[in-house]
């Protein structure tokens, strides 16, 4: 990996490294800041390993370490030698508790080295996996079932709703193209981060067997007359996150307000996906983004900050801030072309 300051300076406005300041280290959660990791004795080593186990437990088997960062979030950086020792230390800590380490980025900040490391606890057996639940909310015809069909099948839509057909459970749903019930699909990730879906597996059982991390999606009805079914499905599925789907053609409406309010009432982290970006004038997308941002400020969400995610670095940062309730990430996608951002 090339160490290069301009990469950081050119990052998105909410990307925390762009200004050399992260939010203060949270006492809970899977994020840990370390200026450097240089164990001076066995007691210090045991303390660091215990701390890592706690962060892994908080992150359901996954932890993120920011090295070269103070507890108050100030990005300081350390020398090349201190970084080498710190990475060796965290690698030894991971091996001692049966976890693997992934260096996601390393760069220079004001001439000093900074690194971000992801640690994952390896499963004791092949039947173990980390499970997350995501509920899909959004207005009718916003593209919830289509985007879920694309994710679960690994195949793009043909523009006429082909991707969503396998999700429908009743004849009238196929005829109208609208979900009136609660349906579920799964998406897996292998231990090395590769997507496991029906494109590489024939059955849901095979997806379960091949996955280290599993996401269960619950597709909920979008039409207002099915709102009771939607609320019931949302409560029963006990989601960890909410995906709010908004059509670029229609934009935000009363259903969007209701669904966002439901998520806020349940104190659930939310990320928004604007679909059908290939079907509208590009000038319309910023308006939809602006309407979504305004909605976050008028509802009782944990945070009124919303930001568009376009790069991988921004995605990693947004995932952390969303889970902490600090922001609502917004993605723009096309289920037909596959374009994101």
């Amino acid at each position: 990996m090339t160490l290069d300051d301009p990469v950081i300076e050119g990052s998105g406005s909410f990307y925390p490294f762009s200004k050399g300041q992260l939010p203060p280290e949270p006492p809970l959660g899977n994020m840990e800041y370390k200026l450097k990791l240089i164990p001076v004795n066995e007691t210090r080593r045991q303390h660091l390993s215990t701390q890592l186990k706690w962060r892994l437990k908080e992150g359901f088997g996954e932890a993120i370490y920011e090295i070269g960062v103070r507890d108050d979030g100030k990005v300081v950086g350390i020398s090349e030698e201190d970084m080498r020792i710190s990475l060796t230390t965290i690698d030894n800590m991971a091996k001692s508790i049966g976890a693997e380490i992934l260096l996601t980025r390393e760069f220079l900040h004001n001439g000093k080295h900074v690194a971000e490391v992801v640690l994952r606890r390896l499963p004791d057996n092949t039947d173990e996996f980390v499970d997350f639940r995501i509920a899909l909310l959004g207005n009718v015809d916003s593209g919830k079932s289509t985007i879920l069909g694309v994710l679960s099948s690994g195949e793009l839509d043909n523009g006429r709703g082909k991707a969503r057909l396998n999700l429908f459970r009743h004849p009238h749903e196929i005829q109208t193209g609208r979900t009136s019930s609660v349906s579920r699909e799964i998406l897996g990730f292998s231990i090395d981060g590769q997507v496991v879906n029906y494109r590489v597996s024939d059955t849901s059982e095979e997806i379960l067997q091949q996955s280290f991390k599993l996401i269960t999606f619950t597709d909920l009805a979008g039409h207002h007359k099915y709102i009771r079914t939607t609320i019931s499905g949302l409560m029963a599925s006990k989601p960890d996150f909410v995906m709010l789907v908004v059509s670029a053609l229609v934009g935000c409406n009363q259903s969007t307000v209701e669904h966002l309010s439901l998520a806020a009432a349940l104190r659930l982290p939310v990320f928004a996906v604007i679909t059908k970006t290939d079907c509208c004038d590009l000038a319309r997308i910023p308006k939809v983004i602006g309407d979504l941002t305004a909605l976050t400020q008028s509802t009782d969400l944990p945070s009124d900050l919303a930001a568009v995610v376009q790069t991988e670095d921004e995605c990693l940062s947004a995932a952390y801030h969303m889970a902490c309730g600090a922001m609502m990430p917004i993605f723009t996608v096309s289920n037909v072309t596959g374009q994101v951002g």
Side-chain angles (χ1 to χ4, degrees):
M1 181 179 295
T2 302
L3 306 185
D4 194 1
D5 272 328
V7 173
I8 302 304
E9 298 301 325
S11 299
S13 59
F14 77 91
Y15 180 48
F17 286 116
S18 61
K19 296 181 180 180
Q21 181 67 51
L22 281 69
E25 181 187 77
L28 303 177
N30 68 337
M31 181 73 74
E32 180 72 30
Y33 298 165
K34 290 295 181 187
L35 184 57
K36 53 187 176 182
L37 283 159
I38 302 179
V40 294
N41 51 47
E42 186 60 31
T43 301
R44 174 63 174 165
R45 288 190 181 90
Q46 292 179 359
H47 171 74
L48 291 173
S49 296
T50 301
Q51 197 173 53
L52 174 57
K53 291 177 183 178
W54 163 253
R55 292 299 186 184
L56 287 168
K57 180 181 179 182
E58 286 288 286
F60 301 98
E62 187 172 275
I64 302 173
Y65 272 59
E66 307 289 0
I67 304 175
V69 180
R70 296 192 318 217
D71 288 348
D72 62 359
K74 179 69 174 177
V75 180
V76 178
I78 55 179
S79 68
E80 183 177 3
E81 178 62 15
D82 283 347
M83 180 59 73
R84 184 189 65 79
I85 296 174
S86 296
L87 291 177
T88 300
T89 300
I90 199 169
D91 184 49
N92 291 335
M93 289 163 49
K95 289 177 180 177
S96 69
I97 63 172
E100 66 167 10
I101 178 174
L102 175 65
L103 179 63
T104 56
R105 66 166 72 85
E106 184 179 359
F107 57 89
L108 291 175
H109 178 75
N110 295 333
K112 296 294 187 71
H113 289 251
V114 182
E116 182 175 78
V117 176
V118 174
L119 298 105
R120 296 189 180 100
R121 184 187 292 277
L122 300 174
D124 295 330
N125 58 70
T126 56
D127 293 330
E128 290 187 5
F129 56 82
V130 180
D131 185 22
F132 291 98
R133 295 181 294 276
I134 298 178
L136 276 71
L137 293 175
N139 186 44
V140 61
D141 297 332
S142 61
K144 298 187 302 297
S145 299
T146 300
I147 194 171
L148 184 51
V150 170
L151 290 172
S152 62
S153 69
E155 300 289 341
L156 292 172
D157 188 49
N158 63 355
R160 297 186 297 275
K162 176 184 177 183
R164 67 191 179 193
L165 290 179
N166 290 334
L167 276 65
F168 291 149
R169 303 173 60 186
H170 305 290
H172 70 268
E173 293 180 330
I174 298 175
Q175 293 170 3
T176 63
R178 296 177 175 179
T179 302
S180 63
S181 58
V182 177
S183 60
R184 291 182 175 85
E185 278 295 343
I186 59 174
L187 177 69
F189 292 90
S190 62
I191 191 69
D192 58 354
Q194 298 300 308
V195 175
V196 182
N197 55 18
Y198 290 111
R199 189 172 188 175
V200 297
S201 303
D202 293 329
T203 65
S204 58
E205 288 77 10
E206 289 184 9
I207 293 177
L208 289 171
Q209 293 171 358
Q210 298 173 27
S211 298
F212 164 71
K213 182 180 293 183
L214 192 73
I215 301 176
T216 302
F217 292 95
T218 303
D219 185 17
L220 300 168
H223 200 288
H224 181 73
K225 69 178 181 180
Y226 300 123
I227 188 64
R228 294 178 66 179
T229 302
T230 298
I231 295 174
S232 175
L234 184 63
M235 298 293 289
S237 62
K238 298 181 179 178
D240 300 294
F241 306 97
V242 165
M243 179 198 295
L244 181 68
V245 184
V246 179
S247 168
L249 295 174
V250 178
C252 300
N253 56 18
Q254 187 57 37
S255 292
T256 311
V257 176
E258 291 176 353
H259 292 158
L260 197 57
S261 298
L262 281 173
L266 296 173
R267 312 302 291 174
L268 293 171
V270 180
F271 64 98
V273 179
I274 300 175
T275 61
K276 305 184 181 181
T277 56
D278 58 305
C279 300
C280 70
D281 189 336
L282 292 179
R284 176 167 175 75
I285 297 175
K287 182 183 183 306
V288 179
I289 293 172
D291 291 343
L292 272 172
T293 302
L295 278 181
T296 64
Q297 298 169 351
S298 62
T299 55
D300 192 25
L301 286 173
S303 170
D304 59 3
L305 173 64
V308 179
V309 178
Q310 295 179 314
T311 68
E312 185 175 345
D313 276 342
E314 290 177 346
C315 189
L316 289 169
S317 173
Y320 164 64
H321 289 288
M322 176 193 67
C324 294
M327 69 171 295
M328 182 180 78
I330 301 175
F331 300 85
T332 59
V333 304
S334 166
N335 292 314
V336 176
T337 66
Q339 182 177 357
V340 178

